[in-house]
Amino acid sequence: MSAPDIDTQVLVVGAGPVGLMLAGELALGGADVVVLERRTGPLTESRASTLHARTMELLDQRGLLEELGTPPAGGPGHFGGTRLDLTTDSPYSGQWKVPQVRTEELLEGWATRLGARVVKGHRLTDLRAAPQSVEATAEAEPGPGGAASALRVRAAYVVGCDGESSTVRELAGFAFPGRDATRELLRADVADVEVPDRRFERHPGGLAISARGPGGVTRVMVHEYGAPVGREPGPPSFARVADTWRRVTGDDIGGGAPLWLNSFGDALRQASQYRRGRILLAGDAAHHQMPVGGQALNLGLQDAANLGWKLAAEVRGTAGPGLLDSYHAERHPAGRRVLDNIAAQALLLLGGSGTEELRTLFGELLREPRVRAHLAGTIAGVDVRYAAEPGAHRLVGARVPYLRFDTDTDTDTDPDTAAGPGSSFAALRAGRGVLLDLSGRPAPVRAAAEPWRDGRVDLVTATPEPGSAAPEFTTALLRPDGHVAWADGTVPELEAALLRWFGPAARR
């Protein structure tokens, strides 16, 4: 067999936000990674544009927020069209508006600076898995002579981040159970039109949403109760959107200039497995859901944050038994929970007159502080808690709280976070594990962690910032994705956590 055109450790298919986030995480973890994308250039339309608190935390953990700048706040949140205060315990409470093209630009720049290679203009056509590798074939756009050329890539692992119609998922034979859409929302960006802003405005015949954005472009979204889901290939016609808008609202937008058209329905599907041997799925390739409130994009980015460091450890040969399998074990239930949340919202949002009593009840429940906090945490992604051993500290499995502290001189983290002011998020910039010691005295657990301080786990000794709230732990082991692996337990428990998440101890 002839040599492939590209030989790499990980092939990521799809250069959307999820694929680029994963590529950055892999490269940060020391993996050689290639990203394959069928597009030849950046997006030209506005797609997902809402980032939630947990995603902003992940960007902070990688030092990307300074480059991004402070995005505009996304306004009040909602649950199924009913206003919901998204305040959480995160420093990035609420929702933030970042156009998808900017998110992709940010993540592609980061990933390529770290060494990832992005190959554009190639469409995946074949996957062949072998015991030690996967071979992929992709077709390039036809050249000047009219003939398309093929590109062959051999990788140790392939990850499909290629969206809801994933070619990777189809070629690799992943089961994708669920249900097709029975309701849909039509969407258009329209110039040269004057309509009032509408926020989930319910009419006898349907739901209407409109908002004027930058440059005078108005985004309209409309659902007509009881209307069949469109079956035409591609996006809906502007005539269909305008006719539906007129029937629901009585307003005429037909004289406007459509800039972008699409539709999305309430289909709900999830891959039965996120991993089949050397092929994995992330983002919309792993789960298809209605993009209510930006949850789909954020769910996918959090998939990438969970998978990247684990897969990098696997290809480096430092992963312990079962580390890569923990991706499915953790993210499949997390995805299921979000999909159930979105399904409930879709019913409230797109249901007709038969759901009014249910909407009234939900409105009353959302005024209860505990209900509001529960739903806000789910939408923001800050309440994700992975399974922990019985009797473990209450924070084990949860994301690390945001803590401000002064790091001491014996800290061995990245130079940007060494001595001086720091935070629990900044301590994770290098993409390694962190043993965070806030005890203020020599801790016996430090000696236990020494065999892992070979580039896998950093030590941060620090003093909480004066006047800040008392931390919930004195010493904690943090995973590279910012989740707590161990806190204030025994030395044997720490050693077990180090082995599970960071592989066997180095030989002394």
Side-chain angles (χ1 to χ4, degrees), residues 418-455:
S423 74
S424 53
F425 292 172
L428 293 158
R429 295 276 163 86
R432 297 188 284 266
V434 172
L435 183 63
L436 178 57
D437 183 4
L438 305 176
S439 67
R441 61 187 184 279
V445 297
R446 296 186 199 176
E450 280 298 326
W452 285 270
R453 289 178 63 186
D454 57 356

Side-chain angles (χ1 to χ4, degrees), residues 408 410 437-446 459 461-463 473-475 488:
D408 299 336
D410 66 343
D437 183 4
L438 305 176
S439 67
R441 61 187 184 279
V445 297
R446 296 186 199 176
L459 170 65
T461 59
T463 303
F473 59 85
T474 57
T475 310
D488 290 346

Side-chain angles (χ1 to χ4, degrees), residues 175-348:
F176 200 47
R179 63 174 184 266
D180 293 331
T182 58
R183 305 178 182 90
E184 70 176 338
L185 200 63
L186 306 179
R187 178 165 58 175
D189 286 347
V190 188
D192 305 326
V193 67
E194 295 290 339
V195 296
D197 282 359
R198 292 177 166 92
R199 179 175 169 81
F200 303 109
E201 191 173 275
R202 300 181 73 82
H203 295 259
L207 173 76
I209 305 164
S210 57
R212 197 169 184 83
V217 175
T218 298
R219 169 162 291 184
V220 299
M221 292 187 279
V222 61
H223 168 69
E224 186 173 14
Y225 300 142
V229 174
R231 300 301 179 189
E232 68 268 31
S237 67
F238 183 55
R240 182 178 169 219
V241 175
D243 287 346
T244 305
W245 184 264
R246 176 181 48 77
R247 287 195 299 272
V248 171
T249 69
D251 292 342
D252 184 6
I253 60 171
L259 305 178
W260 178 56
L261 298 151
N262 86 332
S263 64
F264 52 88
D266 61 349
L268 202 71
R269 294 186 177 276
Q270 185 180 29
S272 299
Q273 302 166 279
Y274 283 12
R275 178 190 178 192
R276 294 195 70 190
R278 294 183 173 271
I279 303 175
L280 302 98
L281 303 175
D284 285 351
H287 39 75
H288 178 196
Q289 60 285 306
M290 188 174 179
V292 176
Q295 283 181 271
L297 169 64
N298 289 267
L299 180 63
L301 291 171
Q302 291 156 33
D303 288 344
N306 183 285
L307 175 59
W309 66 277
K310 297 175 180 178
L311 185 50
E314 186 73 27
V315 299
R316 287 199 323 267
T318 61
L323 178 65
L324 193 53
D325 286 332
S326 73
Y327 168 61
H328 169 87
E330 292 184 338
R331 292 308 298 171
H332 192 276
R336 184 72 253 169
R337 186 165 178 253
V338 172
L339 263 62
D340 290 345
N341 174 286
I342 289 175
Q345 291 197 63
L347 178 61
L348 292 169

